[in-house]
Amino acid sequence: MKLFSSATSPYARKVRACAIALGLDDRIELHQASAFDDPPALLEANPLGKVPTLVTEDGLSLFDSAVICEYLDAISPEIPMIPATGAARWLALRIQAIGDGISDASLMRIQLKRFGALPDDAPLIERQKRATTRMLDQLEAEPPDTHLDIGTIAVACALGFLDLRFASDGWRDGRPMLSAWFERISTEPALERTVPV
Ligand SMILES: N[C@@H](CCC(=O)N[C@@H](CS)C(=O)NCC(=O)O)C(=O)O
């Protein structure tokens, strides 16, 4: 399988971490792609021009990160990252949406600033920041489980992205429970091996 990925994308990290946890990483060939450069091979696989994009061994291209993780889960004999049924499934998917939502808001902040040339206090940027703050506060009140699944991976990748791009926001400040959760989950090999640089 071929995975179009970038070293800093929290969504690509989510897929790579899932692949490691599912014992599939040695079947994946990583193709580093800078999405905004519109590399032709990426556009051919995914006209939306986004990473992550996976091309399966059958030549099917899959995106976005949630769909790719679901595919990897389906072809792996390991314990699933997405529980098949019941309350555990909806909880894991809900936590995934929380992690991806924080990543979406963070990415939007970057793009509005970089491409929209907006100042840090522009209303749309402030809105993304407020959404992130509220969700981080909710996670502090109710930290996720400490086992690895699609939800905990997504939240860990989102927090890692905050460390990379918004370290000065100090997301750990006043959030000891979430900080401790993050320290603990970050020792999982799937996350340790995919830390963004
Ligand atoms: N919802 C998508 C988001 C993917 C995404 O936005 N990736 C960014 C890189 S972090 C990208 O490729 N951006 C290029 C663009 O928006 O044109 C997913 O979960 O895979």
Short mmCIF file of all heavy atoms in Angstrom, two decimals, residues 4-62:
data_model
loop_
_atom_site.label_atom_id
_atom_site.label_comp_id
_atom_site.label_asym_id
_atom_site.label_seq_id
_atom_site.Cartn_x
_atom_site.Cartn_y
_atom_site.Cartn_z
N PHE A 4 0.23 8.55 0.97
CA PHE A 4 0.69 9.93 0.85
C PHE A 4 0.51 10.58 2.22
O PHE A 4 -0.60 10.57 2.78
CB PHE A 4 -0.12 10.68 -0.22
CG PHE A 4 0.12 10.18 -1.61
CD1 PHE A 4 -0.72 9.25 -2.18
CD2 PHE A 4 1.22 10.63 -2.34
CE1 PHE A 4 -0.50 8.77 -3.46
CE2 PHE A 4 1.46 10.16 -3.63
CZ PHE A 4 0.60 9.22 -4.19
N SER A 5 1.62 11.09 2.72
CA SER A 5 1.63 11.53 4.12
C SER A 5 2.50 12.78 4.22
O SER A 5 3.27 13.09 3.30
CB SER A 5 2.24 10.39 4.94
OG SER A 5 2.39 10.73 6.29
N SER A 6 2.36 13.50 5.32
CA SER A 6 3.35 14.55 5.58
C SER A 6 3.75 14.44 7.04
O SER A 6 2.94 14.00 7.88
CB SER A 6 2.79 15.94 5.24
OG SER A 6 2.18 16.50 6.37
N ALA A 7 4.97 14.82 7.32
CA ALA A 7 5.54 14.59 8.66
C ALA A 7 4.76 15.32 9.74
O ALA A 7 4.71 14.87 10.89
CB ALA A 7 7.00 15.01 8.68
N THR A 8 4.13 16.44 9.38
CA THR A 8 3.49 17.25 10.42
C THR A 8 1.97 17.11 10.47
O THR A 8 1.35 17.61 11.41
CB THR A 8 3.84 18.74 10.22
OG1 THR A 8 3.47 19.10 8.90
CG2 THR A 8 5.33 18.99 10.43
N SER A 9 1.36 16.47 9.49
CA SER A 9 -0.10 16.38 9.47
C SER A 9 -0.62 15.50 10.61
O SER A 9 -0.25 14.32 10.72
CB SER A 9 -0.58 15.79 8.13
OG SER A 9 -1.93 15.38 8.25
N PRO A 10 -1.51 16.05 11.46
CA PRO A 10 -2.04 15.22 12.55
C PRO A 10 -2.92 14.08 12.04
O PRO A 10 -3.01 13.02 12.67
CB PRO A 10 -2.88 16.21 13.38
CG PRO A 10 -3.20 17.33 12.45
CD PRO A 10 -2.07 17.41 11.45
N TYR A 11 -3.55 14.29 10.86
CA TYR A 11 -4.41 13.23 10.29
C TYR A 11 -3.54 12.10 9.73
O TYR A 11 -3.87 10.93 9.86
CB TYR A 11 -5.29 13.79 9.18
CG TYR A 11 -5.93 15.11 9.51
CD1 TYR A 11 -5.40 16.30 9.02
CD2 TYR A 11 -7.06 15.18 10.32
CE1 TYR A 11 -5.98 17.52 9.32
CE2 TYR A 11 -7.65 16.39 10.63
CZ TYR A 11 -7.10 17.56 10.13
OH TYR A 11 -7.67 18.77 10.43
N ALA A 12 -2.43 12.48 9.08
CA ALA A 12 -1.52 11.46 8.55
C ALA A 12 -0.88 10.70 9.71
O ALA A 12 -0.71 9.48 9.65
CB ALA A 12 -0.45 12.11 7.68
N ARG A 13 -0.58 11.42 10.79
CA ARG A 13 0.00 10.73 11.96
C ARG A 13 -1.01 9.72 12.52
O ARG A 13 -0.64 8.63 12.93
CB ARG A 13 0.40 11.75 13.04
CG ARG A 13 1.07 11.08 14.21
CD ARG A 13 1.42 12.04 15.32
NE ARG A 13 2.07 11.34 16.42
CZ ARG A 13 2.19 11.82 17.64
NH1 ARG A 13 1.72 13.02 17.93
NH2 ARG A 13 2.77 11.10 18.58
N LYS A 14 -2.27 10.12 12.55
CA LYS A 14 -3.32 9.22 13.05
C LYS A 14 -3.31 7.91 12.25
O LYS A 14 -3.34 6.81 12.83
CB LYS A 14 -4.68 9.93 12.92
CG LYS A 14 -5.83 9.20 13.58
CD LYS A 14 -7.12 10.01 13.47
CE LYS A 14 -7.79 9.81 12.16
NZ LYS A 14 -9.08 10.51 12.01
N VAL A 15 -3.22 8.03 10.93
CA VAL A 15 -3.21 6.84 10.08
C VAL A 15 -1.95 6.01 10.33
O VAL A 15 -2.00 4.78 10.45
CB VAL A 15 -3.30 7.26 8.59
CG1 VAL A 15 -2.98 6.08 7.67
CG2 VAL A 15 -4.69 7.81 8.28
N ARG A 16 -0.80 6.69 10.42
CA ARG A 16 0.46 5.95 10.61
C ARG A 16 0.46 5.25 11.97
O ARG A 16 0.90 4.11 12.10
CB ARG A 16 1.65 6.90 10.46
CG ARG A 16 1.90 7.22 8.97
CD ARG A 16 2.80 8.43 8.73
NE ARG A 16 3.92 8.48 9.63
CZ ARG A 16 4.26 9.57 10.34
NH1 ARG A 16 3.54 10.68 10.25
NH2 ARG A 16 5.30 9.55 11.11
N ALA A 17 -0.04 5.93 12.99
CA ALA A 17 -0.09 5.32 14.33
C ALA A 17 -1.03 4.11 14.33
O ALA A 17 -0.73 3.07 14.91
CB ALA A 17 -0.53 6.35 15.36
N CYS A 18 -2.16 4.27 13.64
CA CYS A 18 -3.12 3.15 13.54
C CYS A 18 -2.45 1.96 12.85
O CYS A 18 -2.59 0.81 13.29
CB CYS A 18 -4.30 3.60 12.68
SG CYS A 18 -5.83 3.63 13.54
N ALA A 19 -1.73 2.24 11.77
CA ALA A 19 -1.08 1.17 11.00
C ALA A 19 -0.07 0.43 11.89
O ALA A 19 0.02 -0.80 11.86
CB ALA A 19 -0.40 1.74 9.76
N ILE A 20 0.67 1.18 12.69
CA ILE A 20 1.65 0.54 13.59
C ILE A 20 0.92 -0.31 14.62
O ILE A 20 1.26 -1.48 14.85
CB ILE A 20 2.54 1.62 14.27
CG1 ILE A 20 3.44 2.30 13.23
CG2 ILE A 20 3.38 1.00 15.40
CD1 ILE A 20 4.17 3.53 13.73
N ALA A 21 -0.10 0.27 15.24
CA ALA A 21 -0.85 -0.47 16.28
C ALA A 21 -1.49 -1.72 15.70
O ALA A 21 -1.66 -2.72 16.41
CB ALA A 21 -1.91 0.45 16.89
N LEU A 22 -1.83 -1.69 14.42
CA LEU A 22 -2.49 -2.83 13.78
C LEU A 22 -1.50 -3.79 13.12
O LEU A 22 -1.90 -4.74 12.45
CB LEU A 22 -3.49 -2.32 12.72
CG LEU A 22 -4.73 -1.62 13.28
CD1 LEU A 22 -5.47 -0.86 12.19
CD2 LEU A 22 -5.67 -2.63 13.95
N GLY A 23 -0.20 -3.50 13.28
CA GLY A 23 0.83 -4.39 12.72
C GLY A 23 0.90 -4.34 11.21
O GLY A 23 1.31 -5.32 10.56
N LEU A 24 0.51 -3.21 10.63
CA LEU A 24 0.47 -3.12 9.16
C LEU A 24 1.53 -2.18 8.58
O LEU A 24 1.59 -2.00 7.37
CB LEU A 24 -0.91 -2.61 8.71
CG LEU A 24 -2.10 -3.53 8.97
CD1 LEU A 24 -3.41 -2.79 8.67
CD2 LEU A 24 -1.99 -4.78 8.11
N ASP A 25 2.33 -1.57 9.45
CA ASP A 25 3.21 -0.52 8.94
C ASP A 25 4.23 -1.04 7.92
O ASP A 25 4.60 -0.32 7.00
CB ASP A 25 3.91 0.24 10.07
CG ASP A 25 4.58 -0.66 11.07
OD1 ASP A 25 3.98 -1.68 11.44
OD2 ASP A 25 5.71 -0.35 11.47
N ASP A 26 4.62 -2.33 8.04
CA ASP A 26 5.61 -2.82 7.07
C ASP A 26 4.97 -3.11 5.71
O ASP A 26 5.67 -3.39 4.74
CB ASP A 26 6.36 -4.05 7.60
CG ASP A 26 5.43 -5.20 7.94
OD1 ASP A 26 4.19 -4.97 7.90
OD2 ASP A 26 5.90 -6.30 8.23
N ARG A 27 3.65 -2.99 5.61
CA ARG A 27 3.00 -3.14 4.29
C ARG A 27 2.74 -1.78 3.65
O ARG A 27 2.17 -1.70 2.56
CB ARG A 27 1.67 -3.91 4.45
CG ARG A 27 1.92 -5.40 4.64
CD ARG A 27 0.65 -6.15 4.95
NE ARG A 27 -0.38 -6.01 3.92
CZ ARG A 27 -1.61 -6.52 4.06
NH1 ARG A 27 -1.94 -7.17 5.16
NH2 ARG A 27 -2.50 -6.37 3.10
N ILE A 28 3.15 -0.72 4.36
CA ILE A 28 2.86 0.62 3.85
C ILE A 28 4.14 1.32 3.41
O ILE A 28 5.10 1.42 4.16
CB ILE A 28 2.13 1.45 4.93
CG1 ILE A 28 0.74 0.87 5.14
CG2 ILE A 28 2.04 2.92 4.54
CD1 ILE A 28 -0.11 1.60 6.13
N GLU A 29 4.08 1.81 2.16
CA GLU A 29 5.19 2.57 1.60
C GLU A 29 4.83 4.05 1.78
O GLU A 29 3.79 4.49 1.27
CB GLU A 29 5.22 2.21 0.12
CG GLU A 29 6.46 2.46 -0.67
CD GLU A 29 6.14 2.07 -2.12
OE1 GLU A 29 5.92 0.85 -2.36
OE2 GLU A 29 6.04 2.98 -2.96
N LEU A 30 5.67 4.78 2.52
CA LEU A 30 5.33 6.19 2.79
C LEU A 30 5.81 7.08 1.65
O LEU A 30 6.96 7.00 1.23
CB LEU A 30 6.03 6.66 4.07
CG LEU A 30 5.35 6.43 5.41
CD1 LEU A 30 6.13 7.15 6.50
CD2 LEU A 30 3.90 6.91 5.38
N HIS A 31 4.91 7.94 1.16
CA HIS A 31 5.30 8.93 0.15
C HIS A 31 5.08 10.30 0.77
O HIS A 31 3.92 10.71 0.97
CB HIS A 31 4.45 8.80 -1.11
CG HIS A 31 4.81 7.59 -1.91
ND1 HIS A 31 5.38 7.67 -3.16
CD2 HIS A 31 4.72 6.28 -1.62
CE1 HIS A 31 5.62 6.45 -3.60
NE2 HIS A 31 5.21 5.59 -2.69
N GLN A 32 6.17 10.97 1.12
CA GLN A 32 6.02 12.29 1.73
C GLN A 32 5.50 13.25 0.67
O GLN A 32 6.05 13.32 -0.42
CB GLN A 32 7.37 12.78 2.29
CG GLN A 32 7.90 11.94 3.45
CD GLN A 32 6.97 11.96 4.68
OE1 GLN A 32 6.16 12.87 4.85
NE2 GLN A 32 7.09 10.94 5.53
N ALA A 33 4.44 13.96 1.00
CA ALA A 33 3.85 14.89 0.03
C ALA A 33 3.48 16.18 0.73
O ALA A 33 2.87 16.15 1.80
CB ALA A 33 2.61 14.26 -0.60
N SER A 34 3.85 17.27 0.12
CA SER A 34 3.43 18.56 0.65
C SER A 34 2.16 18.94 -0.12
O SER A 34 2.22 19.31 -1.29
CB SER A 34 4.56 19.57 0.42
OG SER A 34 4.11 20.82 0.81
N ALA A 35 1.02 18.79 0.55
CA ALA A 35 -0.27 18.90 -0.16
C ALA A 35 -0.39 20.22 -0.93
O ALA A 35 -0.90 20.24 -2.05
CB ALA A 35 -1.42 18.76 0.84
N PHE A 36 0.09 21.30 -0.36
CA PHE A 36 -0.11 22.60 -1.00
C PHE A 36 0.75 22.80 -2.25
O PHE A 36 0.54 23.75 -2.99
CB PHE A 36 0.09 23.73 0.02
CG PHE A 36 -1.11 23.86 0.92
CD1 PHE A 36 -1.08 23.33 2.21
CD2 PHE A 36 -2.29 24.44 0.48
CE1 PHE A 36 -2.19 23.41 3.04
CE2 PHE A 36 -3.39 24.52 1.29
CZ PHE A 36 -3.36 24.01 2.57
N ASP A 37 1.69 21.87 -2.48
CA ASP A 37 2.46 21.92 -3.74
C ASP A 37 1.73 21.18 -4.86
O ASP A 37 2.24 21.11 -5.99
CB ASP A 37 3.86 21.30 -3.55
CG ASP A 37 4.70 22.14 -2.62
OD1 ASP A 37 4.35 23.33 -2.43
OD2 ASP A 37 5.70 21.62 -2.07
N ASP A 38 0.59 20.58 -4.55
CA ASP A 38 -0.20 19.84 -5.55
C ASP A 38 0.62 18.83 -6.34
O ASP A 38 0.63 18.86 -7.59
CB ASP A 38 -0.87 20.82 -6.54
CG ASP A 38 -2.07 21.51 -5.90
OD1 ASP A 38 -2.58 21.01 -4.87
OD2 ASP A 38 -2.50 22.55 -6.43
N PRO A 39 1.33 17.91 -5.68
CA PRO A 39 2.09 16.92 -6.45
C PRO A 39 1.14 16.08 -7.31
O PRO A 39 0.10 15.61 -6.82
CB PRO A 39 2.78 16.06 -5.38
CG PRO A 39 2.17 16.44 -4.08
CD PRO A 39 1.42 17.72 -4.23
N PRO A 40 1.49 15.91 -8.63
CA PRO A 40 0.58 15.22 -9.55
C PRO A 40 0.16 13.83 -9.06
O PRO A 40 -1.01 13.45 -9.22
CB PRO A 40 1.40 15.13 -10.85
CG PRO A 40 2.35 16.28 -10.77
CD PRO A 40 2.67 16.46 -9.31
N ALA A 41 1.08 13.06 -8.46
CA ALA A 41 0.72 11.70 -8.03
C ALA A 41 -0.36 11.75 -6.94
O ALA A 41 -1.25 10.90 -6.90
CB ALA A 41 1.96 10.97 -7.52
N LEU A 42 -0.28 12.76 -6.07
CA LEU A 42 -1.31 12.89 -5.03
C LEU A 42 -2.65 13.29 -5.66
O LEU A 42 -3.70 12.72 -5.34
CB LEU A 42 -0.88 13.93 -3.97
CG LEU A 42 -1.93 14.30 -2.93
CD1 LEU A 42 -2.36 13.09 -2.10
CD2 LEU A 42 -1.43 15.41 -1.99
N LEU A 43 -2.60 14.25 -6.59
CA LEU A 43 -3.85 14.70 -7.23
C LEU A 43 -4.51 13.58 -8.03
O LEU A 43 -5.74 13.50 -8.10
CB LEU A 43 -3.59 15.90 -8.15
CG LEU A 43 -3.10 17.17 -7.46
CD1 LEU A 43 -3.01 18.32 -8.47
CD2 LEU A 43 -4.01 17.58 -6.30
N GLU A 44 -3.67 12.70 -8.59
CA GLU A 44 -4.23 11.58 -9.34
C GLU A 44 -4.96 10.62 -8.39
O GLU A 44 -6.04 10.12 -8.68
CB GLU A 44 -3.10 10.85 -10.07
CG GLU A 44 -3.61 9.84 -11.07
CD GLU A 44 -2.50 9.02 -11.69
OE1 GLU A 44 -1.39 9.57 -11.87
OE2 GLU A 44 -2.73 7.84 -11.95
N ALA A 45 -4.36 10.40 -7.22
CA ALA A 45 -4.97 9.49 -6.25
C ALA A 45 -6.14 10.14 -5.54
O ALA A 45 -7.11 9.47 -5.17
CB ALA A 45 -3.91 9.04 -5.24
N ASN A 46 -6.04 11.43 -5.32
CA ASN A 46 -7.09 12.14 -4.58
C ASN A 46 -7.21 13.57 -5.14
O ASN A 46 -6.44 14.46 -4.76
CB ASN A 46 -6.73 12.19 -3.08
CG ASN A 46 -7.75 12.98 -2.27
OD1 ASN A 46 -8.74 13.49 -2.81
ND2 ASN A 46 -7.52 13.09 -0.97
N PRO A 47 -8.17 13.77 -6.04
CA PRO A 47 -8.32 15.10 -6.65
C PRO A 47 -8.52 16.22 -5.62
O PRO A 47 -8.34 17.40 -5.95
CB PRO A 47 -9.56 14.94 -7.54
CG PRO A 47 -9.61 13.48 -7.85
CD PRO A 47 -9.11 12.79 -6.60
N LEU A 48 -8.89 15.87 -4.39
CA LEU A 48 -9.00 16.92 -3.36
C LEU A 48 -7.63 17.43 -2.93
O LEU A 48 -7.51 18.46 -2.29
CB LEU A 48 -9.76 16.38 -2.14
CG LEU A 48 -11.23 16.01 -2.38
CD1 LEU A 48 -11.81 15.31 -1.15
CD2 LEU A 48 -12.04 17.24 -2.72
N GLY A 49 -6.58 16.67 -3.26
CA GLY A 49 -5.21 17.12 -3.00
C GLY A 49 -4.86 17.15 -1.53
O GLY A 49 -4.09 18.02 -1.10
N LYS A 50 -5.41 16.21 -0.76
CA LYS A 50 -5.14 16.23 0.69
C LYS A 50 -4.38 15.00 1.13
O LYS A 50 -4.54 13.91 0.56
CB LYS A 50 -6.45 16.31 1.47
CG LYS A 50 -7.17 17.63 1.22
CD LYS A 50 -8.27 17.82 2.24
CE LYS A 50 -9.08 19.05 1.88
NZ LYS A 50 -9.38 19.90 3.00
N VAL A 51 -3.59 15.18 2.17
CA VAL A 51 -2.98 14.04 2.86
C VAL A 51 -3.71 13.91 4.21
O VAL A 51 -4.14 14.92 4.77
CB VAL A 51 -1.46 14.23 3.10
CG1 VAL A 51 -0.73 14.24 1.78
CG2 VAL A 51 -1.15 15.47 3.92
N PRO A 52 -3.87 12.66 4.68
CA PRO A 52 -3.40 11.41 4.10
C PRO A 52 -4.32 10.89 2.99
O PRO A 52 -5.53 11.11 3.02
CB PRO A 52 -3.44 10.46 5.30
CG PRO A 52 -4.60 10.95 6.12
CD PRO A 52 -4.57 12.45 5.97
N THR A 53 -3.68 10.20 2.03
CA THR A 53 -4.40 9.43 1.01
C THR A 53 -3.69 8.09 0.91
O THR A 53 -2.46 8.05 0.84
CB THR A 53 -4.37 10.18 -0.35
OG1 THR A 53 -5.14 11.38 -0.25
CG2 THR A 53 -4.94 9.31 -1.46
N LEU A 54 -4.48 7.03 0.91
CA LEU A 54 -3.92 5.68 0.83
C LEU A 54 -4.30 5.06 -0.51
O LEU A 54 -5.45 5.16 -0.92
CB LEU A 54 -4.47 4.80 1.96
CG LEU A 54 -3.96 3.36 2.00
CD1 LEU A 54 -2.59 3.31 2.70
CD2 LEU A 54 -4.93 2.44 2.74
N VAL A 55 -3.32 4.43 -1.17
CA VAL A 55 -3.64 3.62 -2.36
C VAL A 55 -3.44 2.17 -1.94
O VAL A 55 -2.34 1.78 -1.53
CB VAL A 55 -2.76 3.99 -3.57
CG1 VAL A 55 -3.16 3.14 -4.78
CG2 VAL A 55 -2.90 5.48 -3.90
N THR A 56 -4.52 1.41 -1.99
CA THR A 56 -4.47 0.04 -1.47
C THR A 56 -3.72 -0.88 -2.45
O THR A 56 -3.43 -0.49 -3.59
CB THR A 56 -5.90 -0.54 -1.26
OG1 THR A 56 -6.48 -0.74 -2.56
CG2 THR A 56 -6.76 0.39 -0.45
N GLU A 57 -3.48 -2.12 -2.01
CA GLU A 57 -2.79 -3.09 -2.87
C GLU A 57 -3.64 -3.40 -4.11
O GLU A 57 -3.12 -3.82 -5.13
CB GLU A 57 -2.44 -4.36 -2.07
CG GLU A 57 -1.21 -4.13 -1.19
CD GLU A 57 -1.14 -5.02 0.04
OE1 GLU A 57 -1.99 -5.91 0.21
OE2 GLU A 57 -0.21 -4.79 0.86
N ASP A 58 -4.96 -3.15 -4.03
CA ASP A 58 -5.83 -3.34 -5.21
C ASP A 58 -5.90 -2.10 -6.08
O ASP A 58 -6.66 -2.06 -7.06
CB ASP A 58 -7.28 -3.66 -4.76
CG ASP A 58 -7.34 -4.91 -3.91
OD1 ASP A 58 -6.50 -5.79 -4.15
OD2 ASP A 58 -8.21 -4.98 -3.02
N GLY A 59 -5.18 -1.06 -5.71
CA GLY A 59 -5.18 0.17 -6.52
C GLY A 59 -6.32 1.12 -6.22
O GLY A 59 -6.54 2.10 -6.93
N LEU A 60 -7.05 0.86 -5.13
CA LEU A 60 -8.15 1.76 -4.75
C LEU A 60 -7.59 2.91 -3.91
O LEU A 60 -6.84 2.67 -2.96
CB LEU A 60 -9.17 0.97 -3.93
CG LEU A 60 -10.40 1.71 -3.42
CD1 LEU A 60 -11.32 2.09 -4.59
CD2 LEU A 60 -11.16 0.86 -2.41
N SER A 61 -7.94 4.14 -4.25
CA SER A 61 -7.45 5.23 -3.40
C SER A 61 -8.51 5.59 -2.37
O SER A 61 -9.71 5.70 -2.69
CB SER A 61 -7.03 6.44 -4.23
OG SER A 61 -8.13 6.99 -4.88
N LEU A 62 -8.05 5.74 -1.13
CA LEU A 62 -8.96 5.99 -0.01
C LEU A 62 -8.55 7.25 0.75
O LEU A 62 -7.37 7.52 0.95
CB LEU A 62 -8.94 4.81 0.96
CG LEU A 62 -9.51 3.48 0.47
CD1 LEU A 62 -9.31 2.40 1.53
CD2 LEU A 62 -11.00 3.63 0.14
#
